[in-house]
Amino acid sequence: MIELKNLYKAYGDHEVLRGIDLSIETGKVVVIIGPSGSGKSTLLRCINYLEHPDSGAIFLNGQRIFFEATPGSAKPHSARQIAAVRARLGMVFQDFNLFPHMSVLRNVMEGPITVKGQRPKAVEGLARELLAKVGLAHRADYFPDEISGGQKQRVAIARALAMQPEAMLFDEPTSALDPELVGEVLNVMRDLAQQGMTMIVVTHEMAFAREVADEVVFMDGGKIIERGSPEQLFGNPQNERTQRFLQRTQGYAEVSR
């Protein structure tokens, strides 16, 4: 469904992505792990064109999206073309990004109304169904400052799903949450995976990666260092850098338990 070819992104002299090649099949869950600053979030933001890749190519269902690369430059598509592709890719951020002046229900309805031009009455039923799906039907009339962080993130997931995307991108969706609220968000993501939603997830939640991922990708220094099934990558990592990273993170996980 999603294919990245030789993707590069730099800020000044600092190369954040250095030739990324990655394919995600329909219905699969790919979890990207790695140390802070390895380029994980930038990669997601390039897929959704929140960041402009410098070179390379991105394909969605075989269609080249967002920009046409020419030697030494990348030509962006129009704002309308970008909006059309973004509507096909749901994205959930670590800091929720809900509209504080809108109710939970209206937050979920806003995308289809504003971007797709759908009528509020037609959208409301879907929005209520999605809130029920994430366990928040009883919070539809609340405002963001009246609900917990975990609930806000579940609203953000429902909001992304309201656009009926072909795939979902999650950028460290639990990193801003108190530890006791992490589980409720991960449970919603597990349900989406079981329902066959194509997902790319950047996370530090190693247990989630082990349990839900079809493939785990380890990044460092703007490159994909190693990739494989959870059993393969966690059980028998081949690269020394991957081994060091997992020893540290799994050691911390053992202590926290």
Side-chain angles (χ1 to χ4, degrees), residues 79-149:
R80 178 176 293 184
Q81 289 171 312
I82 291 170
V85 176
R86 279 184 182 159
R88 299 167 63 187
L89 296 169
M91 187 155 183
V92 177
F93 303 88
Q94 55 185 289
D95 52 0
F96 323 132
N97 288 341
L98 300 181
F99 296 111
H101 63 289
M102 293 182 182
S103 69
V104 163
L105 178 64
R106 184 68 193 200
N107 263 281
V108 178
M109 295 171 59
E110 187 64 16
I113 292 171
T114 302
V115 179
K116 292 187 172 183
Q118 297 178 0
R119 299 182 66 178
K121 286 186 178 179
V123 176
E124 183 175 346
L126 171 63
R128 290 189 182 277
E129 286 179 18
L130 291 171
L131 286 173
K133 186 174 186 176
V134 300
L136 290 174
H138 62 301
R139 293 288 189 263
D141 296 325
Y142 284 56
F143 284 79
D145 63 357
E146 298 175 317
I147 60 178
S148 71

Side-chain angles (χ1 to χ4, degrees), residues 32 39-46 50-51 90-97 153 168-176 189 200-204:
I32 303 176
K40 309 183 299 298
S41 293
T42 300
L43 179 61
L44 279 195
R45 293 174 67 85
C46 284
L50 293 168
E51 297 287 350
M91 187 155 183
V92 177
F93 303 88
Q94 55 185 289
D95 52 0
F96 323 132
N97 288 341
Q153 195 60 292
M168 289 283 287
L169 312 177
F170 292 87
D171 186 9
E172 299 190 22
T174 61
S175 65
M189 294 170 65
I200 307 177
V201 183
V202 169
T203 186
H204 294 291

